[in-house]
Amino acid sequence: RKAETARTKPLPSYLAKDEEADYGTATAATNLASDANNFINRIKSGEIKFGLKDRATIRARQLVGSEDPDVLAREDYDKFLKVLTNESLRLNKGTQTEGDAVRAAKELESSESPQAAAAAMRRLVDINVRRTQNAADDVLRRRKNANFPEPERAIEVPKFDVQIIDNADYQRFLKNPKFPSGTPYIDPEGQR
């Protein structure tokens, strides 16, 4: 009966407010990571063009109002780039995390090749996944310290397959002890 009472007891307002903020942050970071992961696939497929020549021709066609698929894809990418940068910086506060997000965002903005852009975007995906994990950990820590049970609906931390950009990236993946043998990955052609 005592355990049931503790389980059904409402959270104090100071805990509920912080917990609600953590759930909001986790949702935003998860959505951002999912969208960025989709853009990585679009970059790898060649849908989004990079390089000075391609960008110049796309820009010229934008000025005349072209609705070619590569022009629209580049416009989507440029819009998402701003959203990803701003939201990643907003969500990831703290000296180390914010510094990581700033560096990855600058790297992404200056990318001239699909490999560099996909790699920088992958770092932002990782940063936002880590932010989701931190929010989940904060909720559990706060509840444990206040002697409350775990929430009925825990924050789900997204798991994405490793995106291999090119052969050099594949070699780094093989040598990384973080990925044991049998870890699924998406190759440069988009095959799992």
Side-chain angles (χ1 to χ4, degrees):
R1 181 175 283 193
K2 188 176 179 181
E4 178 65 24
T5 303
R7 193 176 64 74
T8 59
K9 186 171 124 181
L11 285 177
S13 62
Y14 69 92
L15 275 180
K17 181 181 175 189
D18 289 343
E19 189 169 297
E20 204 54 43
D22 283 333
Y23 273 92
T25 297
T27 300
T30 298
N31 291 340
L32 202 55
S34 296
D35 291 346
N37 197 54
N38 290 336
F39 268 92
I40 291 171
N41 290 329
R42 291 177 68 185
I43 290 168
K44 286 173 46 177
S45 72
E47 182 181 340
I48 301 170
K49 306 290 186 217
F50 288 86
L52 294 176
K53 180 182 163 195
D54 286 328
R55 289 176 70 182
T57 61
I58 288 171
R59 182 70 183 134
R61 287 184 284 159
Q62 281 176 323
L63 293 174
V64 296
S66 173
E67 292 189 18
D68 291 340
D70 56 338
V71 173
L72 296 176
R74 187 61 199 208
E75 287 175 350
D76 282 349
Y77 173 78
D78 290 340
K79 288 175 191 170
F80 180 70
L81 187 64
K82 288 178 183 156
V83 169
L84 179 64
T85 301
N86 292 338
E87 287 297 300
S88 292
L89 294 176
R90 181 183 70 80
L91 292 170
N92 294 287
K93 297 295 180 195
T95 309
Q96 181 65 38
T97 307
E98 188 172 354
D100 290 346
V102 167
R103 281 188 294 281
K106 285 182 181 176
E107 193 178 315
L108 184 57
E109 289 174 357
S110 65
S111 297
E112 293 296 329
S113 73
Q115 294 83 5
M121 196 167 286
R122 183 175 58 200
R123 279 188 278 290
L124 283 168
V125 167
D126 292 342
I127 288 168
N128 283 300
V129 167
R130 189 170 57 226
R131 181 61 188 113
T132 302
Q133 181 64 58
N134 290 344
D137 293 345
D138 288 346
V139 167
L140 294 176
R141 177 187 42 78
R142 235 183 266 111
R143 280 178 167 260
K144 184 175 182 179
N145 288 343
N147 292 322
F148 278 90
E150 291 185 9
E152 288 181 26
R153 186 183 69 93
I155 294 174
E156 292 184 35
V157 179
K159 301 237 186 285
F160 299 106
D161 287 336
V162 177
Q163 296 274 355
I164 303 296
I165 313 302
D166 56 18
N167 193 39
D169 196 30
Y170 179 68
Q171 294 306 318
R172 283 190 297 275
F173 169 74
L174 291 177
K175 293 176 185 172
N176 191 336
K178 179 172 118 176
F179 304 113
S181 179
T183 299
Y185 65 91
I186 308 294
D187 71 9
E189 287 78 39
Q191 301 296 318
R192 188 168 194 272

